[in-house]
């Protein structure tokens, strides 16, 4: 039986945006939900000292710095949460590994496949340090329950996967240009920001991909900026057809310009004995069809599903985005204490990167991954 680290760990957080706050909430609440020691929020780093000071006080960190290298090097720090822009993921993660720290890194893993390969290689040279990538959608009770149903054969042999992840945060062509729309700052576009989440779930449900063919699209070629129109370098949307090692096949689509879609991370698995359907916009529901039934049955999340009861004893009460992150923090901590890693660690993250970069590269050509 694995538990938590037997002493409080010192935490450094780099970045204070949407996911930085999410990490801070997880670190503050993981012990209250799951037990174990309350961990020390030691150092917060942001781009300026003023911002770092403000957020250190708000998030409850003891010290603040505008220099992320100082946060990583701090001897009181055992684990580093990295929520900085994509272009800084590799240097920050590698510095943390070389400093002897555990690493909790937000997705996407890196700008390029070569960067991800180098990071996975370095992590393999430091087996005593735990790495985890921030694929928190893998932690929802509904997803965990669906994954177990498939593993237990409740819908028979998986035959096909259909998935989409659509949002509309870039649908308006007047939205200003940003670093997210460049190869140097953002890496991939919709594939790196959204599609990688769908791939993480797809691989967990269906196993490895052996081949694919894909197309990408830049729907808004230029965007306004204070310096005039600037070119959008990475994809606004992507679609792919896939073949899995099992012989099953699949379809994949992702877009950051899908009007009206807010977090449509939706997938269905067709099995020989049934079908499972999930949609993140209705993340507290699973729809299940079994052979012999007339249609689908709606299943609400509840304490019988993994990790739900740790937050609430009553079925039908909604689970949320930040709760998923607290479960992820728990998984990181028990792995540090010696439990098997639930991942994705950097090695598993590299497999996700191989799929999305193959999609970006395909341009209608068949790509072999195994």
């Amino acid at each position: 039986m694995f538990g938590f680290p037997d002493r409080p760990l010192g935490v450094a957080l780099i970045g204070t945006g949407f996911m930085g706050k999410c990490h801070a909430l997880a670190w503050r609440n993981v012990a209250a939900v799951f037990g174990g020691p309350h961990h020390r929020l030691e150092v917060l780093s942001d781009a300026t000292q003023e911002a770092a000071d403000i957020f250190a006080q708000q998030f409850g960190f003891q010290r603040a710095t505008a220099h992320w290298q100082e946060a990583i090097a701090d001897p009181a720090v055992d684990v580093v949460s990295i929520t900085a822009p994509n272009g800084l993921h590799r240097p920050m993660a590698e510095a943390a590994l070389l400093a002897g720290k555990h690493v909790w890194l937000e997705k996407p893993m890196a700008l390029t496949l070569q960067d991800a390969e180098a990071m996975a290689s370095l992590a393999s040279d430091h087996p005593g340090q735990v790495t985890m990538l921030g694929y928190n959608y893998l932690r929802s009770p509904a997803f965990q329950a669906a994954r177990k149903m498939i593993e237990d054969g409740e819908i028979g042999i998986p035959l096909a996967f259909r998935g989409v992840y659509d949002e509309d945060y870039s649908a308006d062509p007047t939205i200003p240009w940003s670093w997210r729309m460049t190869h140097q700052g953002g890496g991939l576009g919709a594939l790196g920001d959204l599609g990688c989440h769908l791939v993480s779930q797809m691989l967990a449900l269906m196993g490895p991909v052996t081949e694919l063919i894909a197309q990408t699209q830049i729907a808004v070629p230029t965007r306004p900026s204070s310096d005039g129109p600037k070119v959008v370098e990475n994809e606004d949307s992507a679609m792919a057809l896939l073949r899995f090692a099992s012989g099953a096949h699949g379809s994949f689509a992702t877009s950051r310009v899908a009007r009206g879609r807010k977090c449509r991370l939706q997938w269905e698995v067709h099995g020989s004995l049934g079908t499972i359907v999930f949609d993140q916009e209705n993340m507290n529901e699973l729809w299940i069809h079994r052979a012999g039934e007339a249609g689908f049955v709606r299943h609400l999340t509840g304490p019988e599903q993994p990790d739900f009861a740790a937050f609430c004893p009553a079925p039908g009460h909604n689970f949320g985005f930040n709760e998923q992150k607290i479960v992820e923090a728990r998984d990181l901590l028990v792995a540090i204490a010696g439990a098997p890693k639930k991942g994705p660690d950097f090695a598993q993250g590299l497999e996700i990167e191989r799929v999305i970069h193959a999609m970006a590269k395909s341009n209608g050509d068949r790509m072999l991954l195994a």
Side-chain angles (χ1 to χ4, degrees), residues 55-77:
F55 284 105
Q57 182 177 16
Q58 179 181 337
F59 292 173
F61 282 77
Q62 296 298 310
R63 298 181 296 287
T65 178
H67 304 286
W68 60 264
Q69 296 90 340
E70 293 180 3
I72 289 173
D74 193 305
V77 169

Side-chain angles (χ1 to χ4, degrees), residues 1 13 24 32 35 44 52 62 68 77 110 162 176 192 209 227 235 259 269 277 291 309 315 333 344 368 370:
M1 181 68 179
L13 172 61
L44 182 141
Q62 296 298 310
W68 60 264
V77 169
R162 294 180 184 173
V209 173
D227 300 323
E235 75 287 344
R259 291 278 189 178
V269 176
V277 179
L333 288 167
L368 299 177

Side-chain angles (χ1 to χ4, degrees), residues 73-98:
D74 193 305
V77 169
D78 301 294
V79 57
V80 181
S81 279
I82 301 172
T83 69
N86 303 350
L88 293 169
H89 285 190
R90 179 180 177 182
M92 288 180 175
E94 290 186 339
L97 286 169
L98 292 171

Side-chain angles (χ1 to χ4, degrees), residues 138-172:
L138 295 171
R139 267 69 190 188
S140 80
F143 177 81
Q144 293 188 66
R147 183 178 183 180
K148 187 173 189 305
M149 288 179 63
I150 294 171
E151 291 173 347
D152 290 347
E154 292 193 36
I155 62 166
I157 299 169
L159 302 174
F161 175 91
R162 294 180 184 173
V164 297
Y165 191 176
D166 292 338
E167 295 196 14
D168 68 354
Y169 60 83
S170 294
D172 183 348

Side-chain angles (χ1 to χ4, degrees), residues 104-134:
W104 189 8
L105 174 65
E106 272 308 305
K107 46 58 61 185
M109 186 172 172
L111 291 179
T112 68
L113 183 57
Q114 292 72 28
D115 284 344
E117 289 171 341
M119 293 162 67
S121 177
L122 182 62
S124 70
D125 293 335
H126 295 76
Q129 293 158 240
V130 174
T131 59
M132 177 172 283
L133 290 162

Side-chain angles (χ1 to χ4, degrees), residues 60-367:
F61 282 77
Q62 296 298 310
R63 298 181 296 287
T65 178
H67 304 286
W68 60 264
Q69 296 90 340
E70 293 180 3
I72 289 173
D74 193 305
V77 169
D78 301 294
V79 57
V80 181
S81 279
I82 301 172
T83 69
N86 303 350
L88 293 169
H89 285 190
R90 179 180 177 182
M92 288 180 175
E94 290 186 339
L97 286 169
L98 292 171
K101 318 294 186 179
H102 305 289
V103 181
W104 189 8
L105 174 65
E106 272 308 305
K107 46 58 61 185
M109 186 172 172
L111 291 179
T112 68
L113 183 57
Q114 292 72 28
D115 284 344
E117 289 171 341
M119 293 162 67
S121 177
L122 182 62
S124 70
D125 293 335
H126 295 76
Q129 293 158 240
V130 174
T131 59
M132 177 172 283
L133 290 162
Y135 286 101
N136 54 297
Y137 295 124
L138 295 171
R139 267 69 190 188
S140 80
F143 177 81
Q144 293 188 66
R147 183 178 183 180
K148 187 173 189 305
M149 288 179 63
I150 294 171
E151 291 173 347
D152 290 347
E154 292 193 36
I155 62 166
I157 299 169
L159 302 174
F161 175 91
R162 294 180 184 173
V164 297
Y165 191 176
D166 292 338
E167 295 196 14
D168 68 354
Y169 60 83
S170 294
D172 183 348
T174 67
I175 290 173
W177 177 93
S178 78
W179 60 266
R180 290 186 179 276
M181 299 168 183
T182 69
H183 293 307
Q184 184 174 4
L188 298 180
L191 284 166
D193 196 24
L194 304 176
C196 60
H197 273 301
L198 178 57
V199 170
S200 75
Q201 295 201 334
M202 181 178 73
L203 296 182
L205 296 171
M206 302 295 293
V209 173
T210 56
E211 61 180 297
L212 62 83
I213 184 170
Q215 290 184 334
T216 61
Q217 178 190 49
I218 298 176
V220 185
T222 63
R223 293 205 176 252
S225 77
S226 58
D227 300 323
K230 289 191 176 182
V231 173
V232 174
E233 298 175 357
N234 52 29
E235 75 287 344
D236 287 318
S237 63
M239 294 185 178
L241 298 175
L242 313 102
R243 179 74 65 182
F244 299 94
S246 66
H249 66 114
S251 65
F252 168 102
T254 188
S255 175
R256 63 187 181 190
V257 293
R259 291 278 189 178
R261 296 299 185 184
K262 303 307 176 185
C263 189
R264 189 197 180 198
L265 175 55
Q266 190 274 338
W267 53 260
E268 53 186 69
V269 176
H270 302 169
S272 58
L273 298 176
T275 296
I276 301 177
V277 179
F278 173 79
D279 189 336
Q280 178 67 24
E281 287 184 348
N282 296 288
M283 65 173 289
N284 288 282
E285 300 177 357
L286 278 178
W287 289 85
I288 302 168
H289 169 78
R290 293 180 173 86
E293 296 176 341
F296 284 84
V297 176
R298 176 177 178 239
H299 293 256
L300 293 177
T301 52
E304 75 282 359
Q305 293 179 337
D307 295 319
F308 186 98
F311 294 87
C312 179
H317 291 61
N318 287 352
F319 209 78
F321 182 89
N322 285 300
E323 283 82 357
Q324 293 175 140
K325 211 67 184 177
I326 295 170
V327 177
E328 193 171 271
R330 186 277 313 274
D331 290 345
L332 173 67
L333 288 167
V334 297
I336 290 172
K341 298 175 183 178
K342 289 190 176 181
D345 61 10
F346 281 8
Q348 295 164 315
L350 177 58
E351 298 308 307
I352 298 171
E353 295 290 322
R354 285 180 174 142
V355 173
I356 60 174
H357 282 278
M359 290 180 184
K361 186 177 179 181
S362 169
N363 194 32
D365 294 330
R366 179 180 177 224
M367 305 293 291

